[in-house]
Amino acid sequence: MWLTYSNLVNSRVLSDRMVEKGRSVDPECCIMNRKSWISVFLLLLRQGVAAQNYVAILPADSPADIIRKAAHVVPSPRQLRWQELELTAFFHFGINTFTDREWGDGKEDLSLFNPSQLDARQWVRVAKEAGIRQVILTAKHHDGFCLWPSKYTDHSIANTPYKNGHGDIVKEFADACHAYGMGLGLYLSPWDRNSPVYGDSAKYNELFLHWLTELLTNYGRVDEVWFDGANGEGPNGKRQIYAFEAWYHLIRRLQPQAVIAIMGPDVRWVGTETGEGRLTEWSVLPVNARQEESIAANSQKDQTFAPLGDLMSQDLGSREQLVKAKGLIWYPAETDVSIRPGWFYHAKEDSLVRSPAGLMDLYFSSVGRNSVLLLNIPPDRDGLINDADIRSLRGWRKGMDATFAVNLAAGASVLSEHALHPAAMLDGDRDTYWTTTGKDTTAKVDFELTGEKTFDILSLQEDIRVGQRVEKFVLEYYDHGQWKEAASGTTIGYKRLIRFPAVTAHAVRLRIISSRLNPTIAEFGLYKLAQ
C-alpha cells in the first residue's frame, strides 16, 4: 500500500485519545489529525520516498539503499492503533478453569462447567481501571471447548449446565467490551484435541473457517484475532496442516480493522513468556524470497503472509540481518505474560500473584522496550477476577499514575542545531516530532530544565508513522562543569523506558549516536519512580 497525500490525510484509525478528551467520534473509526499527517507527508516528500509497511529489495539495491528503505517502512493504520494501546489483557477461561488444568485433552466432563457468578462486565471494568485498553478472551483453547454455542460442534457451552445450556460467554464478553469502550479480541486455538476431523486438513480448515465466521459476524466489532502455533495431535493421532492464509483473508474481509496476532501478519510473539522484551527491538524485519512472493501476490488486496517461523533470536532486525533479506516488513512485537504462574485460574496460586512492583517491572521490560504488554488475568471458578489479582492491579495503577503524572522535563528550554521543531519533544503530543535537517543522522539536543530536578527514568518515543530509525542514543546530565552519562540504549521505536540510579541536575543532553536516517523524536520525558 503506497502512502500518498490523499490516503495520508484520509487514513482512518480508532483514536481512543479523542474519546478520552470527551470528543464525539464515529464508533468505528475517526479521522487522524490532518495537520500531523500532512507534516509526515511533507517529510517523506522531502526525502523522496513513499512509505509503506512492506517494501521489496531489488537486486540492484546496495546495503545503503536497503537501510534507507528500512527507515521508511511504517505501520499500517491497524498496527499503529494496536501499538498505541500499550496495555492489553488476556482472559484465559474455559473448561480448564474447572478441571484445574492448563491444557485439556478434549475429553472433559462438560457438566463441570457452571460458573455461578460470572460477570464479564467485572472483568472488563477491572482491566480498564488498571489502564488496559484491549482485552482478549480464549473463545476456544486446545481442548476444543467453545465458549459460544457453535452450530458446528457439540463440545460447547450449549451442552453445559451454565444458564441451562442457553449461555454465550463470548456475547457477554463482547457486550461488556462495547459497553466500556474497550477493544475486543478473540483467541481461537488452531489446535483442537476434541474435533474428530482435526488432522484431516481440508475438513478441519473448513470447520475452522466456520468457527471464525461465527465469531466475526455475531458479536460486533472485533479489534484483534489471536492465534498461537500449537500443533499437536488430535483425537485421531493425526497432525493438522493449518490454512493460515485462508483464515487471514476471511478475517480481513469480515473485520478489516482487526490485527491478526502472533501466528499472523500484523503482530508477532516476542519469543518468551517471561514478560521481558529484547533490549534491541526492531519493528522492521527481513523476509525471505518465499515470503516476499506471498506478500507481493497479496499486496493489492491486503498485507498477509504465512508465519515467518523462528523469531526467537536476539538479533532480528539489525543491519546485518536486513542486507540479506528479499523484502522488509513492519512486524512489531507483543510480550505476553501471566499475572500468576499459570494461564488458567488455580486457587493454589492466589498467594503467588505478581506484586504491583512486579507488574511495574513488566511495563518497563515490555512497553518500555518497543512492545505491547499482553497481561493474562484469569477469571476464577465463580466467573470473576479474583480479589488477589484486583489488589495487585490497583496497586500497579496507583504506582503508574504517581510515576508518570509529571514530566520533569516539561517547560525546559530546548536547543538543537540543524534541527526542526525541538519543542515538539515536550508538547505531550506524539503526533508531532523533532528531526534533523539535511542528511544528519547524528544529533545533540540540550535541555535546560526549570531548576534542579531529581529523576531516574528516561522516556523516549519515535514518531513511528515516519519509521523506526534510531540505533543508539545516550542521555547525559551536567554535573559540576562536566557532562556525565546517566543512561544509554539502542533502539527506541514506539517507546523506550530506561531506569537508572537517580541523578539531580538542571541540564541534560540527548545524543543520537546512530540512526538509519534523520531521527524523528516525538516525546522526551524524565520521571522519578514512585516509592
Side-chain angles (χ1 to χ4, degrees):
M1 180 184 70
W2 290 93
L3 195 61
T4 65
Y5 176 83
S6 174
N7 61 35
L8 266 171
V9 298
N10 289 296
S11 290
R12 298 169 67 86
V13 297
L14 182 67
S15 176
D16 293 332
R17 279 171 285 163
M18 293 186 72
V19 175
E20 291 165 1
K21 293 177 181 177
R23 302 177 191 172
S24 128
V25 294
D26 181 322
E28 290 296 313
C29 49
C30 65
I31 302 296
M32 286 195 71
N33 180 286
R34 183 178 298 265
K35 183 177 179 181
S36 64
W37 275 123
I38 292 174
S39 68
V40 173
F41 173 75
L42 292 176
L43 176 64
L44 296 173
L45 186 65
R46 176 167 62 84
Q47 295 173 345
V49 69
Q52 50 190 331
N53 69 337
Y54 160 76
V55 64
I57 293 175
L58 305 177
D61 284 340
S62 68
D65 293 330
I66 294 171
I67 299 307
R68 180 179 174 82
K69 284 185 172 183
H72 287 107
V73 178
V74 299
S76 68
R78 66 173 71 89
Q79 289 173 316
L80 179 63
R81 175 201 170 271
W82 172 86
Q83 188 87 58
E84 290 179 341
L85 295 171
E86 293 195 4
L87 300 175
T88 61
F90 230 147
F91 295 132
H92 273 65
F93 186 71
I95 192 66
N96 292 345
T97 309
F98 296 86
T99 60
D100 207 30
R101 301 176 68 180
E102 284 290 294
W103 282 17
D105 59 13
K107 301 174 184 178
E108 294 79 13
D109 179 359
L110 297 190
S111 67
L112 296 173
F113 187 87
N114 192 19
S116 59
Q117 302 176 52
L118 190 139
D119 184 357
R121 293 175 67 91
Q122 185 244 18
W123 306 355
V124 175
R125 184 170 62 252
V126 167
K128 187 166 186 174
E129 289 172 353
I132 290 162
R133 299 173 63 191
Q134 187 154 292
V135 289
I136 303 170
L137 175 66
T138 53
K140 179 180 81 74
H141 204 252
H142 309 326
D143 48 72
F145 176 65
C146 296
L147 288 179
W148 78 101
S150 173
K151 294 187 298 184
Y152 300 97
T153 180
D154 292 330
H155 201 59
S156 80
I157 198 170
N159 289 303
T160 71
Y162 181 65
K163 294 190 175 180
N164 297 315
H166 298 291
D168 186 341
I169 291 176
V170 173
K171 183 178 189 307
E172 293 181 57
F173 173 72
D175 288 348
C177 288
H178 298 146
Y180 280 98
M182 179 73 77
L184 165 64
L186 295 171
Y187 163 87
L188 187 66
S189 171
W191 187 18
D192 195 304
R193 304 182 74 181
N194 173 268
S195 173
V197 299
Y198 184 90
D200 184 330
S201 293
K203 289 183 178 179
Y204 181 75
N205 285 325
E206 182 179 3
L207 172 61
F208 202 86
L209 288 171
H210 286 310
W211 280 331
L212 275 174
T213 300
E214 287 182 325
L215 291 173
L216 300 180
T217 57
N218 293 330
Y219 301 102
R221 177 183 170 117
V222 175
D223 298 291
E224 183 166 352
V225 179
W226 208 96
F227 299 132
D228 59 23
N231 189 347
E233 294 181 353
N236 54 14
K238 297 180 180 179
R239 291 181 183 270
Q240 173 74 23
I241 298 173
Y242 299 140
F244 279 113
E245 292 203 47
W247 304 349
Y248 301 160
H249 286 298
L250 180 69
I251 297 166
R252 290 291 197 246
R253 179 167 63 84
L254 298 179
Q255 296 281 353
Q257 75 289 333
V259 293
I260 309 172
I262 310 308
M263 295 300 286
D266 298 316
V267 175
R268 61 182 164 88
W269 184 42
V270 77
T272 173
E273 292 181 347
T274 64
E276 291 195 14
R278 297 172 183 80
L279 289 172
T280 299
E281 188 65 75
W282 288 103
S283 294
V284 179
L285 301 191
V287 294
N288 63 31
R290 180 182 61 81
Q291 295 152 350
E292 194 277 333
E293 290 174 1
S294 173
I295 295 168
N298 291 300
S299 63
Q300 298 305 313
K301 304 167 189 174
D302 209 328
Q303 189 62 59
T304 65
F305 56 90
L308 294 185
D310 180 16
L311 293 176
M312 297 178 68
S313 167
Q314 284 299 305
D315 180 10
L316 296 180
S318 69
R319 292 185 180 225
E320 291 73 18
Q321 298 299 320
L322 299 187
V323 296
K324 298 181 289 185
K326 298 299 182 182
L328 305 171
I329 192 80
W330 186 275
Y331 202 25
E334 178 183 79
T335 302
D336 62 329
V337 64
S338 186
I339 197 171
R340 293 164 168 259
W343 287 83
F344 284 89
Y345 176 83
H346 308 285
K348 64 187 177 184
E349 295 178 355
D350 285 352
S351 63
L352 302 176
V353 174
R354 291 179 188 268
S355 67
L359 293 175
M360 182 70 83
D361 289 342
L362 289 178
Y363 180 74
F364 278 89
S365 63
S366 58
V367 177
R369 295 181 183 177
N370 189 36
S371 183
V372 167
L373 175 60
L374 176 57
L375 179 66
N376 181 60
I377 311 167
D380 63 21
R381 291 187 181 184
D382 289 330
L384 299 171
I385 304 300
N386 190 265
D387 287 343
D389 305 65
I390 293 173
R391 285 193 298 270
S392 189
L393 289 166
R394 286 176 175 169
W396 174 41
R397 185 70 256 165
K398 182 178 179 180
M400 289 276 287
D401 290 342
T403 296
F404 295 105
V406 178
N407 182 357
L408 298 173
S413 299
V414 187
L415 178 63
S416 179
E417 296 182 351
H418 310 297
L420 299 171
H421 316 302
M425 288 187 283
L426 299 176
D427 65 2
D429 183 355
R430 59 177 175 257
D431 290 339
T432 63
Y433 57 85
W434 159 93
T435 189
T436 57
T437 57
K439 297 182 179 180
D440 285 352
T441 57
T442 62
K444 178 179 69 177
V445 187
D446 290 338
F447 299 83
E448 183 69 30
L449 305 178
T450 59
E452 283 202 335
K453 307 288 184 181
T454 299
F455 47 89
D456 55 12
I457 297 170
L458 169 66
S459 176
L460 293 172
Q461 291 188 259
E462 287 183 84
D463 188 342
I464 60 173
R465 298 169 308 146
V466 177
Q468 184 185 5
R469 301 177 176 186
V470 175
E471 296 174 305
K472 188 176 182 180
F473 63 89
V474 174
L475 175 71
E476 298 173 333
Y477 65 99
Y478 197 67
D479 181 42
H480 295 94
Q482 300 181 59
W483 287 103
K484 299 180 179 180
E485 182 175 319
S488 63
T490 53
T491 49
I492 297 174
Y494 172 75
K495 181 172 281 190
R496 187 65 187 271
L497 296 169
I498 299 181
R499 291 183 284 190
F500 48 87
V503 300
T504 300
H506 65 84
V508 297
R509 170 177 289 171
L510 175 66
R511 291 196 295 124
I512 305 297
I513 306 300
S514 176
S515 182
R516 292 176 172 178
L517 202 63
N518 303 68
T520 60
I521 305 298
E523 290 297 307
F524 174 91
L526 299 173
Y527 301 92
K528 182 71 176 68
L529 185 66
Q531 300 302 315

